[in-house]
Amino acid sequence: MAIKEDIERGNDSVLESAAVSLLQEENDMADKEDGYTDQTISKASLWMVYFSTFVAVCGSFEFGSCAGYSSPTQTAIRTDLSLSLAEYSMFGSILTFGAMIGAITSGRIADFIGRKGAMRTATGFCVGGWLAIYFAKGALLLDVGRLATGYGMGVFSYVVPVFIAEIAPKNLRGALTTINQLMICTGVSVAFIIGTVLTWRTLALTGLIPCAVLLFGLFFIPESPRWLAKIGREKEFEAALQDLRGKDTNISEEADEIRDYIETLERLPKAKMLDLFQRRYLSSVTIGVGLMVFQQFGGINGICFYVSNIFETAGFSAAVGTIIYAILQVVITGLNTTVIDKAGRKPLLLVSSTGLVLGCILSGVSFYLKDHNLALDAVPILAVTGILIYISAFSAGMGAVPWVIMSEIFPINIKGAAGSLATLVNWFGAWAVSYSFNFLMSWSSYGTFILYAAINAGAIFFVVTLVPETKGKTLEQIQAAINA
């Protein structure tokens, strides 16, 4: 009670003293931690970290399967169920509404029943959604199923990167968290490819496969040690951390660091959504939410959802362009996992944002030339080059890195509320951009891409001025430095 009253009377003083204490402890332990993290753990078996990551990213693959389902099935579903274009548009867009609901609740669920519990919940919604789609005889059940899979997507988009970040050693955290984005891209591409040869009902059943692997695998992996420590399950916390670091690894220093950090955070008030806008959390919330704003409002979902139409409008083969687009997306995201812990988060974001600006400018120039009947032979080449540079640049950084940073920067006492806010902003941006894209293209095709180029140029300034480098630091070091 006394601590609570002190905090209520002087929140800023308590935070400053806690932050100073944390920073002093971090600085004192930095050299020692480099030793035990990089040397001791490297000698131990990390198979449980890799296996746990594999199980978790089955949720990411499921995310991609849900997102990619509507593209190859549009004609077949409309024909079989006699849906109007408006009814099918509702089926496609209701996914993002489900995801926004999932985003709002994801952080609270993950904090209340754990990261594994949240993944089970998301999987349950996806299973129910796929079965509803499979048995649908009309628009209503189809929409209910799509809404349910969207809810599962919204939860997965938050809990998977957070879980991976909380179980991984600092030297592997970036690469392992980036696998989340790689598996989303893979899920989308697989759904698109096999959707050309399977019926829409059979394709819905394939969405149950990653759900089954995830549900089965969750029985064999540990819960997040940081969540267990936060709720006071001490024995399970130590057992989980030991499983993840190897049975012969000395986990005492890492365990003590996690305990000390959580104990300090417990002295602070429990954060609600409105509390996130207080000064003490302003830096981390601005960074996390800001990156999500630039990731989405830079145009990715408009371009991704309508890439075939973009190629057709520019006079290029939609089939060839889409296949190249899908392959580039997966390959470059895969390469990104190998360099994120070497190159760092901030350089990748800067390179990515620069490439997005260039891609948008080239695409805008191509449509400007087409609208004004200038150099028409160059229009398809410029459009394809611009779109492929755009997706390559997005996959190289802006696609995955914001999720990595989001999973790193929020202190554990606000991670649920802040993560939900960031994920909600992301999904709102996805809906807004995908909904407005055709209207913008009708207004001005080249103006649309110039607008996206300006937003991506703003992302460069944002990253340079506000985003910290988190490579090679523990979560506790990152959060103490940002919130100081």
Side-chain angles (χ1 to χ4, degrees):
M1 185 67 181
I3 292 175
K4 181 178 179 181
E5 291 172 354
D6 289 341
I7 290 171
E8 290 173 348
R9 289 195 300 265
N11 280 331
D12 292 338
S13 296
V14 172
L15 179 73
E16 288 173 7
S17 63
V20 170
S21 175
L22 280 170
L23 285 170
Q24 288 174 342
E25 291 173 9
E26 296 294 351
N27 290 333
D28 291 341
M29 292 181 63
D31 293 335
K32 290 190 292 183
E33 194 203 84
D34 285 341
Y36 80 73
T37 301
D38 296 333
Q39 297 173 15
T40 310
I41 294 179
S42 65
K43 296 176 183 178
S45 172
L46 288 173
W47 72 271
M48 182 55 77
V49 171
Y50 297 129
F51 179 65
S52 298
T53 301
F54 166 75
V55 172
V57 297
C58 287
S60 307
F61 187 91
E62 176 66 14
F63 180 132
S65 299
C66 297
Y69 177 79
S70 60
S71 180
T73 58
Q74 179 171 347
T75 301
I77 290 178
R78 288 191 61 194
T79 301
D80 289 356
L81 301 183
S82 301
L83 300 183
S84 66
L85 180 60
E87 287 175 323
Y88 191 82
S89 297
M90 172 61 73
F91 170 71
S93 63
I94 202 171
L95 183 79
T96 56
F97 285 100
M100 280 189 274
I101 298 171
I104 293 171
T105 59
S106 60
R108 297 298 183 188
I109 292 173
D111 282 349
F112 185 66
I113 60 176
R115 289 24 172 169
K116 288 173 61 177
M119 285 189 276
R120 287 191 177 99
T121 300
T123 304
F125 273 91
C126 287
V127 169
W130 285 125
L131 291 176
I133 292 172
Y134 177 79
F135 289 109
K137 301 296 183 182
L140 178 60
L141 195 56
L142 204 64
D143 290 343
V144 169
R146 188 72 165 165
L147 185 69
T149 57
Y151 181 86
M153 283 176 61
V155 176
F156 278 134
S157 65
Y158 167 72
V159 73
V160 172
V162 166
F163 174 76
I164 296 172
E166 291 182 346
I167 67 170
K170 67 175 186 179
N171 60 314
L172 295 175
R173 190 175 61 243
L176 293 180
T177 308
T178 308
I179 294 176
N180 169 62
Q181 184 68 24
L182 172 63
M183 293 304 289
I184 292 173
C185 295
T186 303
V188 170
S189 298
V190 169
F192 181 81
I193 293 169
I194 66 175
T196 61
V197 296
L198 298 178
T199 66
W200 64 271
R201 294 188 191 273
T202 304
L203 184 62
L205 291 181
T206 64
L208 299 175
I209 296 173
C211 292
V213 176
L214 180 58
L215 286 176
F216 183 71
L218 285 173
F219 287 105
F220 301 98
I221 65 174
E223 180 57 89
S224 162
R226 286 177 170 84
W227 180 76
L228 292 170
K230 178 176 178 288
I231 63 171
R233 290 158 63 172
E234 187 66 22
K235 291 184 178 179
E236 294 176 60
F237 158 63
E238 292 185 358
L241 189 59
Q242 194 73 68
D243 285 345
L244 291 164
R245 299 296 179 258
K247 64 180 182 179
D248 297 324
T249 301
N250 182 357
I251 63 168
S252 58
E253 291 186 54
E254 186 176 8
D256 287 342
E257 182 186 1
I258 293 172
R259 288 193 197 96
D260 291 344
Y261 192 77
I262 289 174
E263 286 174 6
T264 303
L265 290 174
E266 288 300 314
R267 293 164 49 196
L268 303 177
K270 300 299 181 184
K272 298 178 181 178
M273 191 65 76
L274 291 178
D275 295 333
L276 299 179
F277 301 98
Q278 297 178 12
R279 185 167 64 90
R280 69 175 65 94
Y281 303 130
L282 187 60
S283 293
S284 56
V285 171
T286 300
I287 293 165
V289 172
L291 285 174
M292 295 303 177
V293 168
F294 284 112
Q295 183 196 66
Q296 290 300 329
F297 284 90
I300 181 59
N301 273 291
I303 292 172
C304 179
F305 286 3
Y306 302 104
V307 66
S308 295
N309 289 337
I310 294 172
F311 286 136
E312 286 179 358
T313 303
F316 190 80
S317 169
V320 174
T322 303
I323 291 172
I324 298 173
Y325 179 100
I327 293 172
L328 269 178
Q329 181 175 241
V330 174
V331 170
I332 294 178
T333 304
L335 291 174
N336 193 30
T337 65
T338 66
V339 301
I340 189 170
D341 281 317
K342 298 177 182 177
R345 283 61 154 160
K346 194 165 184 173
L348 286 176
L349 285 174
L350 291 174
V351 170
S352 177
S353 298
T354 303
L356 291 173
V357 172
L358 176 60
C360 288
I361 290 175
L362 288 176
S363 299
V365 169
S366 73
F367 282 105
Y368 180 85
L369 294 176
K370 183 175 186 293
D371 288 351
H372 292 81
N373 292 315
L374 301 172
L376 294 180
D377 291 341
V379 168
I381 297 173
L382 282 173
V384 172
T385 302
I387 294 300
L388 295 183
I389 288 176
Y390 181 95
I391 190 57
S392 299
F394 185 85
S395 300
M398 193 56 79
V401 176
W403 292 105
V404 175
I405 293 177
M406 187 271 288
S407 69
E408 295 175 327
I409 62 173
F410 296 136
I412 199 165
N413 67 315
I414 68 161
K415 186 168 281 189
S420 292
L421 175 64
T423 309
L424 174 62
V425 169
N426 185 278
W427 279 110
F428 174 78
W431 171 79
V433 170
S434 59
Y435 180 78
S436 64
F437 183 81
N438 283 330
F439 295 103
L440 287 173
M441 289 291 284
S442 298
W443 161 68
S444 172
S445 54
Y446 62 86
T448 300
F449 286 97
I450 297 304
L451 174 63
Y452 291 153
I455 294 172
N456 287 307
I460 297 174
F461 178 78
F462 180 83
V463 171
V464 169
T465 56
L466 293 178
V467 178
E469 179 54 70
T470 60
K471 179 188 72 170
K473 300 177 182 178
T474 67
L475 298 183
E476 289 71 31
Q477 287 173 330
I478 295 166
Q479 293 153 14
I482 290 176
N483 292 288

